Amino acid sequence: AETLAPPGDWRWLADHLRLDEDLSAILATFPDDEPMRAAVRDCRGLRLLRQDPWECLASFILSSTKQIVQIQQCVGLLCRRFGEPVTVPDGSEPRFAFPGPARVAAAAEAELRACK
């Protein structure tokens, strides 16, 4: 099982939020068109995450035609049913990592459909 950083150690969050990168430099690479300008303006402060590519792709595929609450439910079900347990420092309810592609590929279609 994976172990999280010690309580009070927030370096993992800074890494995940890519706080070490210059957001304005990243935004300067975006297309210069009205929809992108509107998105940047309306989502001021939104960060690009340093997320595992497989997890990002799978979550994106799950997001089609779904609302945020439904996406969270689908991802949560996938993690609980197919992910490896993750140790939680405070001992709260068990958590599970996002399952890898091999584990998802090995699941039966009915098992995946049960995750909505």
Side-chain angles (χ1 to χ4, degrees), residues 38-61:
V40 169
R41 180 187 64 241
D42 295 343
C43 299
R44 184 178 168 92
L46 191 65
R47 298 298 301 197
L48 300 173
L49 301 179
R50 183 171 282 121
Q51 187 177 23
D52 175 78
W54 158 248
E55 183 178 347
C56 183
L57 174 64
S59 298
F60 178 76
I61 291 169

Side-chain angles (χ1 to χ4, degrees), residues 3-4 9 13 28 59 65 85 101:
T3 303
L4 297 179
D9 183 354
L13 183 58
S59 298
T65 72

Side-chain angles (χ1 to χ4, degrees), residues 25-46:
I26 294 170
L27 293 175
T29 68
F30 285 14
D32 186 19
D33 58 28
E34 184 47 37
M36 189 57 72
R37 284 192 299 271
V40 169
R41 180 187 64 241
D42 295 343
C43 299
R44 184 178 168 92
L46 191 65

Side-chain angles (χ1 to χ4, degrees), residues 1-36:
E2 180 180 333
T3 303
L4 297 179
D9 183 354
W10 292 96
R11 287 178 292 189
W12 66 269
L13 183 58
D15 181 63
H16 186 67
L17 294 175
R18 297 168 60 167
L19 296 180
D20 58 325
E21 295 183 33
D22 180 4
L23 184 58
S24 59
I26 294 170
L27 293 175
T29 68
F30 285 14
D32 186 19
D33 58 28
E34 184 47 37
M36 189 57 72

